[in-house]
Amino acid sequence: MTSKCAIVTGAARGIGLATADLLAENGWKVALVDRDQSELAQAAAERPEMLALPLDVSIPEQVDAIIAKTLEWAGRIDSLVNNAGVAEFGPIADCDFTAWRRVMATNLDGVFLCSQAATPALKQSRGSIVNIASISGLRASTLRVAYGTSKAAVIQLTKQYAAEFGEHGVRVNCVAPGPVRTKLAMAVHSPEIIAAYHDALPLNRYGSERELAEAVVFLASDKASYITGQVLAVDGGFDSTGVGLPALRQA
């Protein structure tokens, strides 16, 4: 049996790399896509069975190359994991149009471009798309005007594709991560922020990259064969509790 093949964008680190590793553990061939060439090279050096593609999902010509090189390598595409994203936080007053477009180019345009380019191959394989949004796309927060809006748009884009692609047997779903213990998050989250998140999360902890990968790989796989158009918040209960009253945890 020919191995299934997945493309994972933003795969040099974090959730993307954890997803690629779990897919490989499950017998998938994996193409790693990331514009950070040095990080991608380091990850790929430890995973010689994977295809490394140092390309940018926000540039149409490079997206076409991602699809072409993957098909040349594997002969098929069974799943596209749109994980590549950038996060720029700050007050709305400080978000100029250049910053807005920088976020949208990767977080939204990249998802659209990759999904469009992969469509013919996914229709042929009756495959799947898994988009990575964010809990910030489900609930508003301060300092995230571009980021949160881009992720909300990814959620809507997921539903649009699911509505049209179902008749072709292509499933399209979305994972919305809550706070995740990535190297980047731990580098920028102060002890006060970490404590505040713990208070707001019913599970009282950050998620792990592996826990997010488990959700992504499930939705990409045949185990989720009757699931499409869904948004799965993998967030320790963060979205379910709204603002919450941390003081009540002491009761």
Side-chain angles (χ1 to χ4, degrees):
M1 179 179 175
T2 304
S3 295
K4 289 189 173 185
C5 175
I7 296 172
V8 182
T9 70
R13 61 176 71 79
I15 294 169
L17 187 56
T19 297
D21 285 339
L22 185 55
L23 284 164
E25 288 177 28
N26 282 272
W28 291 63
K29 299 182 74 172
V30 184
L32 306 172
V33 178
D34 206 292
R35 67 186 180 191
D36 188 331
Q37 296 189 24
S38 60
E39 281 286 324
L40 182 62
Q42 183 176 338
E46 300 171 358
R47 298 163 178 83
E49 74 283 5
M50 299 185 189
L51 175 66
L53 298 173
L55 296 166
D56 190 328
V57 301
S58 69
I59 301 174
E61 296 77 15
Q62 294 195 24
V63 171
D64 289 341
I66 290 168
I67 303 305
K69 290 177 182 293
T70 301
L71 287 172
E72 180 181 358
W73 176 64
R76 59 189 292 162
I77 298 170
D78 298 272
S79 188
L80 168 65
V81 179
N82 284 310
N83 172 70
V86 297
E88 297 190 23
F89 300 148
I92 291 175
D94 295 342
C95 182
D96 60 20
F97 187 65
T98 300
W100 174 272
R101 281 304 312 153
R102 194 162 51 236
V103 172
M104 294 297 171
T106 296
N107 292 9
L108 181 56
D109 299 352
V111 174
F112 171 75
L113 290 170
C114 289
S115 298
Q116 291 288 93
T119 291
L122 290 172
K123 286 182 177 179
Q124 187 171 357
S125 67
R126 297 178 71 85
S128 65
I129 297 174
V130 184
N131 296 324
I132 310 303
S134 169
I135 204 66
S136 293
L138 290 171
R139 54 182 290 180
S141 178
T142 57
L143 312 181
R144 288 167 168 78
V145 63
Y147 180 78
T149 303
S150 73
K151 293 302 189 178
V154 167
I155 289 170
Q156 179 63 20
L157 193 64
T158 298
K159 296 180 179 182
Q160 294 290 157
Y161 273 85
E164 291 196 27
F165 282 9
E167 65 184 274
H168 302 287
V170 178
R171 298 177 300 100
V172 188
N173 292 291
C174 185
V175 169
V180 181
R181 186 171 287 278
T182 63
K183 289 182 180 179
L184 178 60
M186 292 303 97
V188 300
H189 287 185
S190 66
E192 291 77 17
I193 291 174
I194 293 172
Y197 269 129
H198 282 198
D199 280 342
L201 291 161
L203 290 185
N204 197 32
R205 65 176 177 84
Y206 279 54
S208 71
E209 294 167 353
R210 178 72 176 211
E211 286 174 314
L212 268 296
E214 292 281 2
V216 175
V217 172
F218 166 70
L219 290 174
S221 75
D222 292 338
K223 293 179 180 179
S225 57
Y226 198 51
I227 301 174
T228 194
Q230 300 305 303
V231 182
L232 176 59
V234 185
D235 67 346
F238 191 39
D239 185 53
S240 68
T241 57
V243 175
L245 294 172
L248 292 181
R249 297 182 69 91
Q250 310 302 320

